[in-house]
Amino acid sequence: MATQGLPSAAIPTTTEVLVIETPKQGVTVQQIMAVLPAEIRATVNLYLDGRIRQWYSRGDGKGVLFFVQAKTEDEARAIMESLPLAKEQLMDHQYIPVGPLMPLRMLIGTETQQ
Amino acid sequence: MKLMLILVVAMLPVAGMAQSQSGAASSALPSVAVPKTTEVLVIQTPKQGVTFQQVMAVIPAEIRATVKLYLDGKIREWYSRGDGKGVVVMVDATTEDEARALIESLPLAKAQLMDIQYIPVGPLMPLRALLGPVMQSSGVQ
């Protein structure tokens, strides 16, 4: 999908990538549980290396979220695909690169009175 | 080992399955794996056909209202998307409805220009396994 005409000034430098990870359709809890001890160890190691900045379980029970320190979606994908659950092909991943909230720039310009 | 057995029992289909609106019951996690919601992730993207100019007309008011919510502690984190498709914010809320009420008070949502997705989140529950005897048992590997 095109950026719908956003000027480049409105697009941030990517500082992190949000990763939304959900079990694939048909994957059972047993399949996930078999891999989970290794997944936890690898995930904590990535956190200790500074590659995972935040982690969450979803309140609707549908999976997990991570904020990964990466400059591109590809960089984040390489990190996530190194993890045991991904290697077992059990999970779907959605990647959203994010960065600073660019509209804040308007507050420091000469037009703050608008 | 005992904790692992508890987790295995918890994941059996009859007991304590988390709600599964999509109908994919086999992929829903057991309730022991579902956290208390502490924040709600909100992903806002312009609706199909909405122009940059339409969004920019509302942005000054949106930014002021957003910064106020941040100063009130209701917005914890905020991001622009690196692919230019909108914004992501983390809202201090314990339910999706609470987050929706907050976001829908903002100018962009009121202008009906955005598609809004809400994902309630909380602590990473699998870390609980690090506390139990299962991690002390050599049988885990």
Side-chain angles (χ1 to χ4, degrees), chain B residues 64-125:
Chain B
R64 280 196 300 275
T66 300
V67 171
K68 281 184 185 161
L69 286 177
Y70 164 76
L71 294 169
D72 286 340
K74 305 304 295 192
I75 287 179
R76 295 301 183 75
E77 295 154 66
W78 49 26
Y79 307 90
S80 284
R81 288 177 64 138
D83 55 12
K85 291 182 187 173
V87 296
V88 174
V89 294
M90 196 65 92
V91 171
D92 174 42
T94 55
T95 65
E96 191 175 314
D97 285 344
E98 192 183 334
R100 186 175 295 111
L102 198 81
I103 294 294
E104 289 182 356
S105 75
L106 293 171
L108 265 182
K110 283 184 172 168
Q112 308 268 353
L113 297 175
M114 310 297 278
D115 286 328
I116 310 177
Q117 182 186 358
Y118 299 88
I119 303 179
V121 299
L124 186 68
M125 299 308 275

Side-chain angles (χ1 to χ4, degrees), chain B residues 38-54:
Chain B
T38 53
E39 294 174 272
V40 178
L41 181 76
V42 182
I43 303 171
Q44 282 197 77
T45 51
K47 288 180 176 168
Q48 192 78 357
V50 168
T51 65
F52 173 69
Q53 287 87 340
Q54 282 178 285

Side-chain angles (χ1 to χ4, degrees), chain B residues 20-33:
Chain B
S20 173
Q21 295 122 336
S22 63
S26 62
S27 65
L29 297 173
S31 56
V32 66

Side-chain angles (χ1 to χ4, degrees), chain A residues 3-4 6-7 11-12 25 27-30 33 37 40 54 56-59 61-62 65 97-100 102-103 106 114, chain B residues 11 21 24 26-29 34-35 41 46 52 59 63-64 77 79-84 90 120-123 125-126 140:
Chain A
T3 57
Q4 299 181 325
L6 271 190
I11 299 176
Q25 192 81 354
V27 167
T28 64
V29 175
Q30 288 89 334
M33 290 300 291
I40 292 168
Q54 294 163 63
Y56 305 92
S57 284
R58 289 178 63 141
K62 291 181 185 174
L65 265 66
V98 296
M102 300 308 276
M106 299 176 61
Q114 291 184 16
Chain B
M11 74 189 178
Q21 295 122 336
S26 62
S27 65
L29 297 173
V34 179
L41 181 76
F52 173 69
I59 282 287
I63 276 295
R64 280 196 300 275
E77 295 154 66
Y79 307 90
S80 284
R81 288 177 64 138
D83 55 12
M90 196 65 92
V121 299
M125 299 308 275
V140 168

